[in-house]
Amino acid sequence: MAKRPSKARNESGDKFIESLGTTQKSFGEYVGQVKTGVQSEQFRVICAILLSLFTLYLTIAFVSFFFTGVADFSILEMSRAERAANRLEIQNWMGLPGAALIFLLVHRSFGLASVALLALMGACSLRLFHIGQFKLMKFTYCAVFWLLYGAIVLGYIDYLIGKPLFFLLGGALGEVVTLWAVSYVRVIGWLFTLLAVGVIFFICVDKNTIPFLKRIARWAQGLFKKKESEQDSVEVTDERGDMDKPEETVGTENSIELTITGKDEEEPKQEEGASLTLEIVDNSEQETPENTEDLDNPENQDDIEKPEKSEKLDAPADPDLEIADVNEVELAEDSPEALLKKYGEYDPRKELEFFQFPALDLLKVYPNETSPVIDQQEQQNNADRIVTALRNFGVEIDSIKATVGPTVTLYEVKPKAGVKIARIQSLESDIMLSLAAKGIRIIAPMPGKGTVGIEVPNEKPQTVSMHSVIASKNFQEEKKMRLPIAMGRTITNDIFMFDLAKTPHLLVAGATGQGKSVAINAIITSLLYKKHPAELKMVLVDPKMVEFAPYKPLLRHYLAAMPDVDENQVVITDCDKVINTLNSLVIEMENRYKLLMDAGVRNLEDYNDKFIHRRLNPDKVVDGALHHQFLPYIVIVIDEYGDFIMQAGKQVETPIARITQKARAVGMHMILATQRPSVNIVTGVIKANIPTRIALRTQSVIDSRTVLDAKGAEQLIGRGDMLYAGNGDLTRIQCAFVDTPEVDAIVDHIKAQQHYFEPYQLPEYIPEGAEGEALAPGSVDMKRLDPMFGDVARYVVNKQEGSTSRLQRAFEIGYNRAGKLSDQLEAAGIVGPNKGPKGRDVLIQDPNQLEALLTELGVG
């Protein structure tokens, strides 16, 4: 029988296991520190410097190899010890290490294709410096392909011409692969294989390859048909010359030959006409066998020949046939289906196709951010106190259940039969006293449950990080919401999200210092992580002048502004500019409605879908000056709008009311924030048009009722604790915390990305009685020409085409920019006014005249 281990042995074993756990924890902390160091800015910059210097070193050694390689070649083929002994005789500009590395890369490995490896190293160093807008992964694939494929092709050239230089053009790799391949498929077979691989590569990486191959095929087919047409015409002429000979029959064979000649003459003009001619040929063949028995009879011969002669003379000149074919081609080219097939769907992200969204590592990671810390003893004590307080006042319960959240724990109490809920509600202060809590909130009854909820703050509230919310699976995989907002976590620790596009406007109110600015930053951060600059524009209004200042660098990415705005004033702080901007937004709203009405749709989503599928003509003029274009969402954020209400009253409230009443369908959504939720600030007009509201802690129950139409906000604990009122329900949320350094890191990342040349321009608004003259709508300031104006003007004159859509496709720019370039060309006298689908007339034909005009305008 085995002996039972002694207590001393158990204690020593427990200590060993405990020490082992401590060691594992310290090792995990060490790994975390290493990971944090690797992801730091300092480590990235150091790696970028080292990689760029090494790339430059290899590049210089590579160039020197072509000048000094012959002299160094004999030394480089020696052993390592002999190389070191003769290192002073190396003539490479980078010495023995550089010469040896390049000799290994070029002669012993990849030959001249090693340039691809140097290019890849340079690209990696640029990306580490956050320079350049190219896709590094795609560039890596291409570089690796050309490194291998180039070495093999150059090795094939080496094999054909017999190694013309002192080194292998394709390196050892090209030589080995070529010798092996030629031994199997011979020289011609390997050539076809290399060509096939190259064509497949270009098809995979460039969508223009297939159309290019089709053009080559059509060109070759055209040459073949032209020769065939000439041969057929000669044969017909010879047979016609022999028609007078009595010993030869003239009938079916000649009529078919003549019809084929007519077909070939028509094919270069219209292929569909040729198919109709072939049908006529088939009909004549069906009729011919009925008359072959009487070919010697002159009367029957005349009956056969005359109808065929009439067919031959009438078919090529048939006006109905030719007109029908031409009209069908024109309709096909202008139809949405043909445009969609030819150009594909319109991609609003094309102009900023290299834009990269902010990475998750820009947000701070907090400990235990994915799940709340549960203190079992605290929860049990609170539950006992709640039960005791209720029993002291004669309220008996059947059960109590606790749900722990980041900052608040929800206790669900199921009262016994016969207990009135109003009695429990009346005990709110007594329960708070027994718990010694800052504030509790009673939900009686819980929606959809037969319980009463008592929300009690935790003794040690947990910070909900913005990283845990943005990195959550719910937010990352969300596809249905048009403007997804990740607000924070609920009491059940679930990620709380809502769609601003369906809200459709939002009121955020709360006392000073309760987390209102953090909540707005969380909303903006959610949008920046989810929406491309082509899909979202924001108007930021900040009377405090400091809350939205970090977002100024986003001017040419995400911000919308009035024309000629100063970069330092893109965040609006002045009351007069707020009034002008709000009225400008009203004009933008009305213009969008005009475009929707012309397109025959009811909301922005359907309009943009129609534009993406090429069903709207961007050259069409709507209401005198508007053009169809892809319309981004516009989110207007006004912090402390109560300050503007107090200064301007109805001048601010009226445009706000108009926007909140009508702008939802055209993709314009407003977020209003105030720290004074009184009835003269949160007026009935504003409340009627903004059904969705967020209340942080308020100073009184009156303020809570003003914002939410219900009490409860006065019992919140602050620091981002909020109530969300939407769809008739109140949801308690702990707002995600995003700190100023995190906002700065996100803005710096976006600032370094590809951007537009100017911000999204709102319509010009001229207040009544304003002094001075502003540019009228549609006018052009010739002192601020587009940087591409010179190139576009030369393209238009050379091609003699002034269509806006043509500029858009030729220069791969968005329609907004192409339209402004067309207006500038018109103002400069290079093109005429817009004629709708017909485009614009080019008024200048002489390139020298254009250059003189560009010089006069100061354009290089």
Side-chain angles (χ1 to χ4, degrees):
M1 183 175 179
K3 291 184 178 180
R4 185 175 181 179
S6 64
K7 183 177 180 182
R9 287 184 179 181
N10 287 340
E11 291 179 354
S12 61
D14 293 341
K15 290 181 180 180
F16 173 75
I17 295 174
E18 183 179 356
S19 63
L20 181 61
T22 305
T23 304
Q24 291 177 346
K25 182 178 179 181
S26 61
F27 178 74
E29 292 177 352
Y30 174 75
V31 173
Q33 292 175 356
V34 172
K35 182 178 179 181
T36 303
V38 170
Q39 294 176 347
S40 65
E41 182 77 7
Q42 293 89 341
F43 184 80
R44 178 183 62 80
V45 173
I46 292 173
C47 291
I49 293 174
L50 293 177
L51 181 59
S52 59
L53 290 176
F54 183 64
T55 304
L56 181 62
Y57 179 86
L58 284 183
T59 303
I60 297 176
F62 181 79
V63 175
S64 175
F65 181 76
F66 296 101
F67 299 96
T68 61
V70 176
D72 297 342
F73 199 88
S74 58
I75 300 176
L76 295 173
E77 287 190 322
M78 297 178 180
S79 64
R80 183 178 300 177
E82 291 174 334
R83 284 186 192 176
N86 295 276
R87 63 182 180 275
L88 295 178
E89 298 182 14
I90 292 292
Q91 298 184 19
N92 192 285
W93 302 336
M94 293 291 104
L96 177 59
L101 285 173
I102 293 302
F103 180 76
L104 175 64
L105 278 178
V106 176
H107 186 70
R108 295 285 176 82
S109 299
F110 307 106
L112 294 180
S114 303
V115 173
L117 182 60
L118 297 177
L120 178 59
M121 294 171 61
C124 292
S125 61
L126 290 177
R127 293 304 294 151
L128 286 174
F129 279 121
H130 287 171
I131 300 175
Q133 307 297 335
F134 54 87
K135 296 180 179 179
L136 184 59
M137 189 61 66
K138 182 178 180 180
F139 190 91
T140 302
Y141 292 150
C142 294
V144 172
F145 173 81
W146 284 114
L147 181 67
L148 301 177
Y149 182 74
I152 295 171
V153 171
L154 291 171
Y156 181 72
I157 295 174
D158 259 339
Y159 181 84
L160 293 179
I161 62 179
K163 304 175 184 177
L165 299 178
F166 62 92
F167 64 95
L168 296 174
L169 290 177
L173 174 66
E175 183 182 38
V176 171
V177 173
T178 299
L179 292 175
W180 173 82
V182 169
S183 67
Y184 277 95
V185 296
R186 299 296 182 266
V187 175
I188 300 299
W190 188 231
L191 174 62
F192 289 159
T193 303
L194 292 177
L195 291 175
V197 171
V199 170
I200 292 173
F201 170 77
F202 281 110
I203 290 175
C204 293
V205 301
D206 189 358
K207 61 182 180 181
N208 296 321
T209 302
I210 294 179
F212 176 74
L213 295 175
K214 289 181 178 179
R215 288 196 297 269
I216 294 178
R218 285 196 297 267
W219 172 77
Q221 185 180 11
L223 290 179
F224 176 77
K225 288 185 177 181
K226 184 176 179 181
K227 294 179 180 180
E228 182 182 358
S229 176
E230 293 175 355
Q231 183 178 0
D232 291 341
S233 299
V234 172
E235 292 176 358
V236 171
T237 303
D238 292 341
E239 292 179 1
R240 280 186 174 181
D242 295 337
M243 285 178 67
D244 296 330
K245 297 182 180 180
E247 62 271 24
E248 294 184 3
T249 60
V250 181
T252 305
E253 187 174 345
N254 284 340
S255 65
I256 294 174
E257 195 68 46
L258 283 172
T259 309
I260 293 175
T261 302
K263 175 199 74 171
D264 289 332
E265 291 174 355
E266 287 292 314
E267 274 186 348
K269 298 179 182 179
Q270 191 66 302
E271 293 182 358
E272 294 181 8
S275 64
L276 293 176
T277 307
L278 285 174
E279 293 178 2
I280 296 173
V281 172
D282 294 337
N283 291 335
S284 64
E285 289 177 353
Q286 292 174 4
E287 295 174 0
T288 300
E290 299 178 2
N291 301 319
T292 50
E293 297 178 358
D294 298 328
L295 283 176
D296 295 332
N297 188 343
E299 294 181 0
N300 292 337
Q301 187 174 353
D302 292 338
D303 292 338
I304 295 172
E305 291 178 355
K306 287 180 181 179
E308 291 184 359
K309 182 176 181 182
S310 176
E311 279 188 2
K312 290 179 287 183
L313 294 176
D314 293 340
D318 186 358
D320 295 334
L321 180 61
E322 292 180 3
I323 293 174
D325 292 340
V326 173
N327 286 340
E328 287 177 3
V329 172
E330 289 180 355
L331 289 175
E333 289 179 353
D334 294 337
S335 66
E337 292 77 11
L339 291 174
L340 185 63
K341 183 177 180 181
K342 183 176 181 181
Y343 301 110
E345 294 183 355
Y346 173 78
D347 184 7
R349 300 186 178 188
K350 179 67 175 178
E351 193 169 352
L352 298 186
E353 61 179 335
F354 300 114
F355 178 86
Q356 295 182 357
F357 285 92
L360 294 175
D361 58 8
L362 299 176
L363 299 172
K364 184 179 179 180
V365 180
Y366 289 82
N368 301 317
E369 64 175 16
T370 58
S371 60
V373 178
I374 300 177
D375 188 339
Q376 296 284 357
Q377 188 63 41
E378 177 189 349
Q379 313 309 325
Q380 186 62 50
N381 292 339
N382 286 340
D384 294 341
R385 290 169 185 168
I386 291 174
V387 172
T388 301
L390 292 175
R391 284 178 177 173
N392 290 339
F393 291 94
V395 177
E396 296 293 333
I397 63 174
D398 287 334
S399 62
I400 183 169
K401 174 185 175 183
T403 303
V404 182
T407 57
V408 175
T409 298
L410 172 65
Y411 296 90
E412 294 185 56
V413 175
K414 186 176 182 180
K416 286 190 175 181
V419 176
K420 292 183 178 181
I421 293 179
R423 177 133 179 100
I424 299 177
Q425 286 180 314
S426 65
L427 298 176
E428 180 176 343
S429 299
D430 299 291
I431 297 173
M432 187 187 306
L433 178 63
S434 65
L435 293 172
K438 296 180 181 179
I440 67 170
R441 176 171 170 261
I442 294 181
I443 309 171
M446 292 285 293
K449 300 180 180 180
T451 58
V452 175
I454 303 175
E455 295 175 347
V456 181
N458 298 332
E459 291 184 4
K460 296 180 180 179
Q462 182 180 358
T463 300
V464 176
S465 68
M466 198 70 203
H467 177 271
S468 67
V469 175
I470 296 295
S472 66
K473 185 177 180 181
N474 293 351
F475 184 79
Q476 291 295 324
E477 297 182 358
E478 175 56 50
K479 302 297 182 183
K480 295 181 180 179
M481 294 184 182
R482 301 183 184 97
L483 292 175
I485 305 295
M487 206 68 232
R489 292 182 181 270
T490 63
I491 290 179
T492 58
N493 206 47
D494 295 328
I495 301 296
F496 183 83
M497 296 173 56
F498 66 92
D499 189 358
L500 183 62
K502 292 183 178 180
T503 304
H505 310 287
L506 184 65
L507 174 64
V508 182
T512 304
Q514 302 304 315
K516 176 169 51 61
S517 298
V518 174
I520 294 177
N521 284 331
I523 293 173
I524 296 176
T525 301
S526 299
L527 294 174
L528 295 180
Y529 266 91
K530 206 68 174 179
K531 304 303 291 185
H532 190 273
E535 303 164 343
L536 172 68
K537 301 299 175 184
M538 293 186 291
V539 176
L540 303 180
V541 180
D542 177 20
K544 292 187 286 189
M545 304 183 187
V546 294
E547 293 296 341
F548 295 153
Y551 298 107
K552 288 182 180 180
L554 303 183
L555 174 63
R556 292 178 175 83
H557 289 91
Y558 284 101
L559 299 187
M562 301 279 285
D564 301 324
V565 66
D566 186 354
E567 292 189 7
N568 295 322
Q569 299 177 354
V570 64
V571 176
I572 306 164
T573 59
D574 182 73
C575 185
D576 292 334
K577 292 182 179 179
V578 169
I579 296 172
N580 293 343
T581 302
L582 289 174
N583 284 282
S584 175
L585 288 167
V586 171
I587 298 174
E588 173 75 12
M589 177 185 68
E590 298 294 346
N591 290 341
R592 289 187 170 208
Y593 267 111
K594 293 175 183 177
L595 292 175
L596 263 65
M597 182 178 64
D598 184 79
V601 295
R602 301 178 62 182
N603 54 59
L604 183 76
E605 292 75 31
D606 293 342
Y607 176 87
N608 282 338
D609 182 72
K610 217 170 183 179
F611 188 85
I612 287 173
H613 288 86
R614 310 280 182 181
R615 297 172 62 192
L616 296 176
N617 184 5
D619 290 329
K620 182 180 180 181
V621 179
V622 179
D623 195 42
L626 303 176
H627 296 273
H628 287 296
Q629 57 184 298
F630 183 86
L631 299 177
Y633 287 97
I634 297 180
V635 176
I636 307 111
V637 185
I638 305 180
D639 190 12
E640 197 45 62
Y641 83 99
D643 187 63
F644 297 120
I645 294 289
M646 295 180 66
Q647 292 184 55
K650 293 294 183 182
Q651 288 182 291
V652 172
E653 185 179 359
T654 300
I656 288 178
R658 291 197 62 190
I659 292 172
T660 54
Q661 283 174 348
K662 294 177 56 179
R664 176 193 63 82
V666 293
M668 298 173 63
H669 306 277
M670 181 169 285
I671 300 174
L672 299 177
T674 182
Q675 64 182 3
R676 289 194 291 265
S678 56
V679 291
N680 62 329
I681 301 299
V682 185
T683 62
V685 175
I686 291 178
K687 289 178 64 176
N689 297 313
I690 306 180
T692 306
R693 302 158 202 168
I694 290 177
L696 292 102
R697 185 176 184 180
T698 59
Q699 294 181 347
S700 66
V701 66
I702 297 176
D703 290 344
S704 176
R705 293 188 183 277
T706 301
V707 179
L708 300 174
D709 295 327
K711 67 175 185 177
E714 75 282 357
Q715 297 290 355
L716 299 175
I717 61 175
R719 297 178 62 86
D721 187 19
M722 62 173 63
L723 290 174
Y724 175 88
N727 299 324
D729 297 329
L730 282 179
T731 305
R732 192 165 186 174
I733 308 165
Q734 178 59 45
C735 180
F737 178 69
V738 52
D739 205 358
T740 302
E742 296 174 85
V743 174
D744 292 339
I746 295 171
V747 171
D748 289 341
H749 170 83
I750 298 176
K751 180 182 177 182
Q753 300 299 310
Q754 186 182 14
H755 59 78
Y756 296 103
F757 283 91
E758 58 185 359
Y760 184 89
Q761 289 195 0
L762 299 175
E764 182 74 28
Y765 170 74
I766 304 176
E768 295 182 3
E771 297 181 358
E773 295 182 358
L775 289 175
S779 299
V780 177
D781 185 3
M782 298 303 292
K783 295 180 181 179
R784 299 181 60 189
L785 295 175
D786 191 283
M788 295 179 64
F789 180 82
D791 296 334
V792 172
R794 294 182 182 96
Y795 172 83
V796 168
V797 172
N798 291 336
K799 298 291 184 179
Q800 288 295 300
E801 294 179 352
S803 170
T804 302
S805 57
R806 177 70 66 181
L807 297 182
Q808 185 182 357
R809 293 191 293 268
F811 291 91
E812 296 184 350
I813 58 178
Y815 186 79
N816 288 341
R817 189 178 181 189
K820 292 175 183 177
L821 280 164
S822 297
D823 293 338
Q824 292 175 359
L825 293 172
E826 180 183 355
I830 298 174
V831 299
N834 193 351
K835 293 184 177 181
K838 296 182 179 180
R840 299 172 182 261
D841 295 330
V842 182
L843 305 180
I844 295 180
Q845 284 77 32
D846 185 7
N848 295 328
Q849 181 183 355
L850 173 65
E851 294 299 331
L853 177 60
L854 293 178
T855 303
E856 181 180 347
L857 294 173
V859 178

